Amino acid sequence: MNIYEISTEALAYLGDSVLEIRVRELLVKKGISGSGRLNSASLSYVKASEQAAAMHRIAPFLSEEESLVFKRGRNMSGGNVPKSATMSEYRTATGMEVLFGYLHLLGRVERIDELFKKAYQIEEEQKESEK
């Protein structure tokens, strides 16, 4: 499999699920229960505007290769922009999904975890709850 031959649409599709599983795991570890509460809480992580904000937080930490992959996804044409996001937010969120799909296919689990924590400020959140 040549990762550079995989379509950006396929990488975004995969990256969406990579992010979704990380979010679900985080919420369950926080002790949130009940499907309604879990689904509601997950929106603060997975909607396009939130993903775009998260992507802006990790952008300074990306390698040159990762930045190129993100830009490839961000510049992908098409897609249905949700009413809750701007075109820019939607494209940035798509770029983030492409990046996470790409890292997943390369087996870079530690890098995914590192970027996810930075994106959603997980360590800061944990430190605050420990006080």
Side-chain angles (χ1 to χ4, degrees):
M1 172 182 71
N2 182 346
I3 197 154
Y4 300 101
E5 293 178 0
I6 297 173
S7 73
T8 51
E9 291 88 355
L11 289 173
Y13 175 78
L14 178 60
D16 179 60
S17 65
V18 170
L19 287 165
E20 182 72 31
I21 195 77
R22 292 292 188 292
V23 167
R24 288 179 181 216
E25 182 179 346
L26 173 68
L27 296 176
V28 169
K29 285 181 177 180
K30 283 183 169 188
I32 300 171
S33 62
S35 61
R37 289 185 62 213
L38 286 164
N39 285 328
S40 178
S42 71
L43 286 177
S44 64
Y45 295 89
V46 300
K47 65 182 182 179
S49 58
E50 296 299 329
Q51 283 185 336
M55 187 62 219
H56 289 298
R57 285 191 286 273
I58 63 172
F61 303 101
L62 298 182
S63 69
E64 185 177 334
E65 172 192 0
E66 291 167 344
S67 289
L68 290 172
V69 170
F70 160 71
K71 288 174 185 173
R72 177 181 163 198
R74 182 195 62 199
N75 296 334
M76 182 174 79
S77 63
N80 297 321
V81 179
K83 292 178 184 177
S84 63
T86 66
M87 176 63 86
S88 176
E89 289 171 332
Y90 178 75
R91 290 173 59 132
T92 300
T94 301
M96 182 179 185
E97 292 171 349
V98 169
L99 173 62
F100 276 76
Y102 172 82
L103 292 171
H104 178 79
L105 285 178
L106 292 177
R108 296 184 184 167
V109 177
E110 287 180 13
R111 184 62 173 156
I112 290 169
D113 290 340
E114 177 186 351
L115 291 176
F116 183 79
K117 286 177 182 176
K118 285 182 185 303
Y120 294 104
Q121 302 169 327
I122 306 293
E123 291 169 356
E124 291 84 359
E125 212 174 82
Q126 289 171 342
K127 288 176 188 173
E128 287 296 317
S129 67
E130 290 172 4
K131 289 181 180 178

